[in-house]
Amino acid sequence: MDDIAIKVDSVSKTFKLPHEKHTSMKSAFINFNKYMKGYETQKVLDNISFEIKKGEFFGIVGRNGSGKSTLLKLLAGIYAPNEGDIKINGKLTPFIELGVGFNPELTGRENVFLNGALLGFSRSEMEDMYDEIVEFAELERFMDQKLKNYSSGMQVRLAFSIAIRADSDILLLDEVLAVGDENFQRKCYNYFSQLKKEAKTVILVSHDMTVVKNYCTSGLLLHDGKDVVIGPISKVAKKYTEINISHLETTAARQQEKEVVDEKRWGNGEAKIIKVWTSYEKKKKKIFRPDQDIEVNIQIEANNKLDQPVIGLTFQDQQGRTVFATNTKEMNQTIGDIEKGETITATFEIENIYTNGTYLISCAIANSDRSTTFSRVEEIQDFGIAGRSMEHSLAHPKHKLTVTSTPGN
Amino acid sequence: MKQYISKQNRALLSELVRTDFKLRYQGSVLGYAWSLLRPLLLFAILYVVFVKFLRIGGDVSHFPVYLLLGIVLWNFFAEITSQGLGSIVGRGDLIRKIRIPRWMIVFSASISALINLVLNLLVIAVFVILNKVEVSASLIWLPLVLFEIYLFALGLSLFLSAAFVKYRDVSYIWEVIMQAGFYLTPILYPLAMITNETFQKLLLMNPMAQAIQDARYSVVTHETATIYGVFEGGWYMLIPFIIVILVLVSGLLYFKRESKYFAENI
């Protein structure tokens, strides 16, 4: 037990979810029968067991609703488990979020002391740390203003500066890195590195595998309240990716393809983009694995005779960056003339070199020198790429390595 | 026991009370002065109505002080229970996100009432001097009486705050009970006005009635009816104290049992 920081032993947690919240006795009495049956029990965590060693960075990952926040609250002692047992060996941070107890009506200064007290610091201890906290948060000029006049970024900075003072052996962090600007994120990273050096035990909860993979050596994957994988982070990440892909595939299968509505269509109307869809080996597909190239099909109806038109295509990622753009002129391909009333389907085949994520397709058809746009639709169809193990690079072009060696003297 | 008065808990308590106090009178011009003004104004109204118009308590010596003491003690009781009742739900944000001893929240709500009581007792001291009340050695009983009211109110607060998490009607029910209690307790009228001896005895079984009468005995006048006088000894004069202990113990037990589930029930 000496090198174990946290031991979770077959813990289950069930919530009663009322159909309609009965918080008054009258409704409890009147609908007594209904009230007794008026809730469902939902097993949020089902028989979870794991151990975290001292000095370990442990990640808890899972999709939204998988029970990871509940598990964190159980570890923090905010919830009590229905079954099972949690043993904590060492001093644990009591909070799971930054800035707990911050009161908008109090000044920044008053909030520092209040928040400090919640972390277990006395007033005199806080007074000793006060200047450093304020300096770290870069809020010297704002400390006598009420918190409600702070921007959200300022609040996070202040909260973080206090939180890192917490003198504990085991830290619980729930999606903390999701907030703040770049500068703040860098501070977070520095803080993490420092924690690593000090051999503190850190439990990081996130739905974002990249964050967890950057810091954690081992982890736990929760899915529907069950511990799916416990072990090295690479194993956890692999399984998590699989779960995500199968989830994407099932939701994509449910979505029906829609025809382009008129409001989404621009252009002079000489041609009409009717439908845009993605496929793989001619079969409709929305989620592509790394080894599957992307086919984009564009169906166009001509309302006039079109003379050597040009068709263009772009992909945008979630941040709105264009990751790919082409057109038939660029490709040195001609479509030929399209007769009035004729419908054609153009299929582009694009090598899949992109990273995991969702992409939006925009396309257009224009005359041969592209001075007139017949029809144009933006961000009309999306497709996903999943299953790449390196997520932080935007593209994955083919590459190879050759090592040549020259023998030494 | 030591864990309950740890350094961390004391720091937390002082910050929670400080925050309570800062926020309470925020935006008001007179600020903290309201802690004194409120009971004084209330007292002025009741004094005019009951002493000047209805002419109650004419035969009780130092009736203004007698009346004021009753009001102050009842307000003390009412403030702890009403603040305590809403304290857990009101601090739901903390309870859901941080592990702090839950009883601290109820306890801190009672501390601000305690501070108000001290301020009010200062006002009473001024009236005692102005009214030329002869203070006797029985004054030493006053702290004990205050302690009894405090424990009674704290026990109720623990129970009410935990019940309020589950049933929001508790606040309405408690409001009615407090209204009834106010008239069932000899605050505005001297106990001697009730001539039926059985009723007198029944009223005095209420810990608040017993405490207020004892406080008046110790501070204002020995002529007031106390539980010792009315019951003329006998074990059942212990009933109010037994009630206080029962309320405190059951309040603690209920709170302890329910507090595990506060975070998910709020």
Side-chain angles (χ1 to χ4, degrees):
Chain A
M1 190 65 197
D2 272 355
D3 60 334
I4 301 291
I6 292 183
K7 188 178 162 71
V8 175
D9 189 13
S10 38
V11 161
S12 294
K13 180 72 188 167
T14 310
F15 285 123
K16 286 177 186 172
L17 301 175
H19 287 147
E20 189 189 331
K21 193 144 173 72
H22 290 274
T23 39
S24 81
M25 274 188 227
K26 181 182 155 236
S27 49
F29 279 123
I30 290 174
N31 303 322
F32 192 70
N33 271 324
K34 249 167 102 194
Y35 181 68
M36 297 310 286
K37 297 181 207 129
Y39 59 81
E40 291 171 81
T41 54
Q42 193 198 357
K43 207 158 202 178
V44 182
L45 289 175
D46 189 5
N47 199 13
I48 306 282
S49 301
F50 61 92
E51 282 180 354
I52 301 173
K53 290 202 181 69
K54 277 190 180 162
E56 197 171 23
F57 268 55
F58 192 86
I60 298 176
V61 288
R63 299 183 57 81
N64 288 332
S66 57
K68 53 189 191 310
S69 291
T70 305
L71 179 58
L72 197 69
K73 283 186 174 179
L74 284 168
L75 293 178
I78 294 167
Y79 289 160
N82 296 99
E83 288 161 45
D85 187 39
I86 297 172
K87 278 202 181 70
I88 308 278
N89 186 12
K91 209 177 148 212
L92 184 87
T93 44
F95 59 97
I96 55 160
E97 231 176 68
L98 292 177
V100 175
F102 266 8
N103 193 311
E105 291 296 329
L106 296 177
T107 65
R109 190 188 153 78
E110 288 164 336
N111 269 305
V112 169
F113 285 95
L114 176 62
N115 205 254
L118 288 166
L119 301 185
F121 290 114
S122 72
R123 224 177 157 74
S124 61
E125 284 171 315
M126 284 309 287
E127 261 153 21
D128 293 341
M129 292 187 245
Y130 181 77
D131 288 338
E132 283 175 61
I133 290 173
V134 176
E135 196 187 328
F136 191 83
E138 300 165 20
L139 288 171
E140 287 90 343
R141 289 188 299 120
F142 303 95
M143 291 316 284
D144 290 317
Q145 281 185 27
K146 281 188 182 173
L147 198 74
K148 63 180 174 188
N149 299 327
Y150 279 38
S151 74
S152 56
M154 287 156 80
Q155 291 194 20
V156 171
R157 254 149 57 201
L158 187 60
F160 184 74
S161 313
I162 308 166
I164 60 170
R165 299 280 153 177
D167 163 40
S168 32
D169 315 314
I170 308 167
L171 287 100
L172 305 173
L173 302 167
D174 191 5
E175 312 270 7
V176 275
L177 293 176
V179 286
D181 56 12
E182 243 174 81
N183 185 30
F184 173 71
Q185 300 234 334
R186 202 172 50 242
K187 279 187 174 176
C188 280
Y189 285 126
N190 290 342
Y191 171 59
F192 273 31
S193 317
Q194 188 200 327
L195 289 175
K196 245 187 175 157
K197 261 186 237 151
E198 291 169 10
K200 303 252 181 184
T201 313
V202 175
I203 298 157
L204 199 64
V205 175
S206 184
H207 65 273
D208 186 357
M209 200 64 225
T210 17
V211 175
V212 175
K213 250 190 343 196
N214 277 344
Y215 285 96
C216 299
T217 41
S218 56
L220 159 75
L221 171 64
L222 280 176
H223 189 61
D224 292 337
K226 293 192 177 65
D227 44 359
V228 182
V229 186
I230 303 165
I233 203 70
S234 56
K235 228 172 107 189
V236 172
K238 211 173 148 208
K239 184 74 191 163
Y240 188 49
T241 314
E242 267 171 48
I243 286 180
N244 273 332
I245 296 175
S246 71
H247 177 83
L248 282 172
E249 279 172 346
T250 38
T251 44
R254 256 184 272 136
Q255 278 175 358
Q256 287 182 353
E257 68 181 89
K258 294 158 284 191
E259 283 207 3
V260 177
V261 289
D262 283 338
E263 294 85 77
K264 285 219 164 184
R265 205 180 277 127
W266 310 5
N268 70 359
E270 283 186 71
K272 207 165 121 180
I273 294 173
I274 301 172
K275 226 161 56 174
V276 179
W277 71 96
T278 51
S279 60
Y280 174 65
E281 290 179 343
K282 303 276 177 275
K283 279 200 290 259
K284 277 183 187 162
K285 188 165 184 63
K286 285 197 71 174
I287 306 297
F288 295 84
R289 306 214 174 208
D291 56 343
Q292 298 171 327
D293 284 343
I294 304 149
E295 293 165 8
V296 178
N297 308 277
I298 305 165
Q299 197 180 52
I300 300 161
E301 187 190 307
N303 293 332
N304 250 331
K305 183 172 183 283
L306 304 177
D307 186 18
Q308 305 273 329
V310 176
I311 301 174
L313 170 73
T314 61
F315 293 167
Q316 262 97 33
D317 70 2
Q318 293 271 278
Q319 280 80 43
R321 293 177 292 215
T322 302
V323 295
F324 170 69
T326 190
N327 61 51
T328 49
K329 196 165 195 170
E330 188 73 33
M331 293 160 76
N332 285 323
Q333 290 206 337
T334 49
I335 298 169
D337 297 350
I338 306 173
E339 295 302 322
K340 185 176 178 179
E342 193 185 347
T343 301
I344 63 146
T345 300
T347 301
F348 290 84
E349 253 189 80
I350 299 120
E351 188 189 355
N352 181 355
I353 59 159
Y354 305 104
T355 193
N356 293 349
T358 308
Y359 296 85
L360 290 159
I361 301 170
S362 304
C363 53
I365 177 164
N367 68 351
S368 57
D369 64 357
R370 286 186 287 160
S371 57
T372 312
T373 305
F374 301 135
S375 182
R376 175 193 180 89
V377 286
E378 286 199 358
E379 305 185 348
I380 195 63
Q381 185 62 262
D382 60 351
F383 66 91
I385 290 169
R388 290 225 187 257
S389 47
M390 303 240 320
E391 287 189 323
H392 59 275
S393 106
L394 286 180
H396 302 260
K398 277 199 194 99
H399 53 293
K400 61 183 179 189
L401 169 76
T402 318
V403 180
T404 49
S405 85
T406 322
N409 299 323
Chain B
M1 190 64 200
K2 209 173 169 187
Q3 55 166 324
Y4 293 113
I5 49 167
S6 66
K7 182 200 86 184
Q8 280 91 346
N9 280 357
R10 271 181 286 136
L12 179 58
L13 184 68
S14 96
E15 278 314 315
L16 286 176
V17 172
R18 231 181 263 260
T19 312
D20 262 5
F21 239 74
K22 266 181 212 147
L23 292 176
R24 179 165 311 172
Y25 297 107
Q26 195 156 58
S28 66
V29 179
L30 294 179
Y32 300 133
W34 279 113
S35 305
L36 288 173
L37 270 177
R38 217 169 53 101
L40 270 178
L41 291 174
L42 182 70
F43 164 71
I45 295 166
L46 295 172
Y47 179 76
V48 171
V49 173
F50 284 86
V51 180
K52 293 294 167 199
F53 293 167
L54 298 174
R55 299 193 182 283
I56 293 172
D59 48 348
V60 178
S61 47
H62 311 295
F63 190 69
V65 183
Y66 181 95
L67 182 62
L68 182 61
L69 185 61
I71 294 167
V72 162
L73 293 185
W74 179 264
N75 278 349
F76 172 54
F77 174 73
E79 198 185 340
I80 295 182
T81 52
S82 73
Q83 299 282 342
L85 186 147
S87 61
I88 295 291
V89 171
R91 289 278 191 181
D93 56 328
L94 288 189
I95 292 195
R96 274 193 302 261
K97 286 178 188 150
I98 194 163
R99 180 197 59 222
I100 48 169
R102 273 75 169 108
W103 57 267
M104 286 287 277
I105 292 171
V106 182
F107 190 59
S108 81
S110 77
I111 297 291
S112 19
L114 215 53
I115 295 170
N116 272 344
L117 175 75
V118 172
L119 294 175
N120 285 332
L121 288 178
L122 291 178
V123 175
I124 291 182
V126 172
F127 273 82
V128 163
I129 294 162
L130 288 180
N131 221 270
K132 300 194 177 70
V133 178
E134 287 169 36
V135 180
S136 70
S138 59
L139 189 66
I140 55 162
W141 291 109
L142 185 66
L144 276 178
V145 174
L146 297 178
F147 188 59
E148 182 201 351
I149 298 177
Y150 181 70
L151 289 184
F152 186 46
L154 195 64
L156 282 166
S157 298
L158 287 169
F159 177 82
L160 291 168
S161 62
F164 189 49
V165 172
K166 272 189 167 172
Y167 300 105
R168 298 296 153 93
D169 340 42
V170 170
S171 68
Y172 306 111
I173 296 173
W174 187 244
E175 213 182 301
V176 175
I177 292 177
M178 285 302 280
Q179 195 61 246
F182 184 71
Y183 290 106
L184 283 174
T185 310
I187 298 165
L188 301 178
Y189 52 89
L191 191 63
M193 263 181 81
I194 293 168
T195 42
N196 185 323
E197 209 178 303
T198 322
F199 278 165
Q200 247 191 17
K201 283 183 179 174
L202 277 175
L203 280 187
L204 269 181
M205 283 182 188
N206 163 10
M208 278 312 289
Q210 166 262 318
I212 287 177
Q213 289 304 97
D214 282 356
R216 284 165 170 169
Y217 178 90
S218 84
V219 179
V220 189
T221 166
H222 286 197
E223 288 157 38
T224 193
T226 63
I227 194 151
Y228 316 100
V230 174
F231 282 77
E232 293 160 345
W235 69 269
Y236 37 86
M237 82 178 207
L238 294 175
I239 288 175
F241 306 105
I242 294 169
I243 292 175
V244 170
I245 289 165
L246 282 181
V247 163
L248 185 64
V249 170
S250 53
L252 276 169
L253 291 178
Y254 181 71
F255 188 85
K256 197 174 173 200
R257 202 188 73 189
E258 289 295 316
S259 63
K260 272 194 234 166
Y261 304 106
F262 282 166
E264 54 198 271
N265 285 336
I266 283 177

